[in-house]
């Protein structure tokens, strides 16, 4: 008799599970509000998928280390090079001398922004002063910009064409001379496009 009662309880509980799960899903969907946030995570946004070639750029505004404000969409119509880096990253530091050379060669046709990944602004400014770099740099201690362009590592460089679409993505870097040559080839091709 105990076996029959036990089986009955199991079947009854199992038959109630599906309607309970459906009701729970509907309740959670109704409470979600913003599809990128949920009450259980304090309203934090879900991580974005990495950008891919052909995607539209993801806009942001940030204060640069020199105190000026930079909004990505203000630079539509030029080729944009976004570089994500850190002072402790050897390959990041090794490719950096290419950036002033790129700005010198392309002038107004190229917008370059180096976004530091998660370090304190004081650390970033000290590094820039020590190395004499004067190109545009954003300190992103809370990784807000980095979360718009997630990657598996740094240096991570995104080239955006004049049409606002991701033209190429580089993960990792070689020497400054090698990266300068690679970036020049891609920038030249983007500038030739109508």
């Amino acid at each position: 008799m105990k076996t029959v009662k036990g089986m009955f309880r199991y079947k009854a509980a199992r038959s109630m599970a599906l309607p309970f799960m459906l009701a729970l899903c509907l309740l959670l969907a109704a409470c979600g509000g913003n599809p990128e946030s949920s009450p259980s995570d304090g309203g934090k946004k879900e991580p974005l998928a990495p950008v891919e070639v052909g995607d539209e750029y993801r806009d942001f505004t940030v204060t640069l280390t020199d105190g000026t404000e930079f909004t990505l969409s203000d630079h539509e119509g030029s080729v944009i090079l976004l570089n994500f880096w850190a002072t402790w990253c050897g390959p990041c530091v090794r490719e950096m001398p290419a950036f002033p050379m790129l700005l010198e060669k392309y002038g107004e046709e190229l917008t370059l922004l180096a976004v530091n990944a998660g370090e304190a602004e004081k650390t970033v400014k000290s590094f820039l002063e020590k190395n004499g770099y004067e190109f545009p740099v954003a300190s992103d201690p809370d990784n807000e910009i980095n979360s718009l362009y997630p990657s598996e590592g740094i240096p991570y460089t995104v080239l955006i064409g004049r049409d606002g679409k991701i033209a190429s993505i580089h993960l990792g870097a070689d020497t400054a001379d090698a990266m300068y040559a690679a970036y020049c080839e891609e920038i030249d091709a983007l500038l030739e496009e109508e």
Side-chain angles (χ1 to χ4, degrees):
M1 208 72 133
K2 286 185 177 182
T3 331
V4 173
K5 283 184 180 175
M7 284 178 57
F8 178 74
R9 285 186 191 143
Y10 171 73
K11 285 182 179 178
R14 195 176 80 197
S15 67
M16 293 296 291
L18 182 59
F20 176 76
M21 292 303 288
L22 287 172
L24 183 61
C25 288
L26 289 172
L27 178 65
L28 290 174
C31 294
N34 180 351
E36 293 183 353
S37 66
S38 69
S40 64
D41 67 3
K44 292 181 183 174
K45 289 186 176 183
E46 293 289 325
L48 293 172
V51 293
E52 295 181 7
V53 171
D55 287 354
E56 296 286 329
Y57 70 87
R58 296 173 181 171
D59 200 15
F60 59 85
T61 299
V62 66
T63 301
L64 302 181
T65 55
D66 68 3
T68 61
E69 193 170 88
F70 178 98
T71 299
L72 189 60
S73 57
D74 289 346
H75 301 276
E76 283 183 4
S78 69
V79 173
I80 301 169
L81 187 149
L82 289 180
N83 175 262
F84 297 88
W85 67 285
T87 62
W88 48 262
C89 167
C92 299
V93 172
R94 198 167 46 245
E95 84 168 322
M96 281 194 144
F99 300 153
M101 294 188 301
L102 289 169
L103 288 171
E104 185 176 330
K105 177 176 181 173
Y106 293 103
E108 297 289 319
E109 293 181 303
L110 175 68
T111 297
L112 186 145
L113 178 64
V115 181
N116 180 268
E119 295 182 281
E121 187 168 358
K122 182 179 178 180
T123 303
V124 176
K125 283 183 174 182
S126 175
F127 173 85
L128 296 173
E129 287 172 16
K130 177 182 173 187
N131 291 283
Y133 292 132
E134 296 180 359
F135 52 82
V137 175
S139 181
D140 190 21
D142 297 325
N143 287 313
E144 292 175 10
I145 301 166
N146 284 273
S147 69
L148 292 174
Y149 293 86
S151 72
E152 295 178 6
I154 53 174
Y156 179 66
T157 304
V158 177
L159 269 170
I160 301 168
R162 294 187 295 180
D163 61 357
K165 294 188 177 174
I166 308 298
S168 69
I169 298 169
H170 296 263
L171 180 59
D174 202 341
T175 65
D177 290 340
M179 296 312 297
Y180 175 77
Y183 294 141
C184 282
E185 186 177 325
E186 292 180 26
I187 293 166
D188 288 342
L190 289 170
L191 290 173
E192 289 174 11
E193 291 179 3
E194 289 293 326

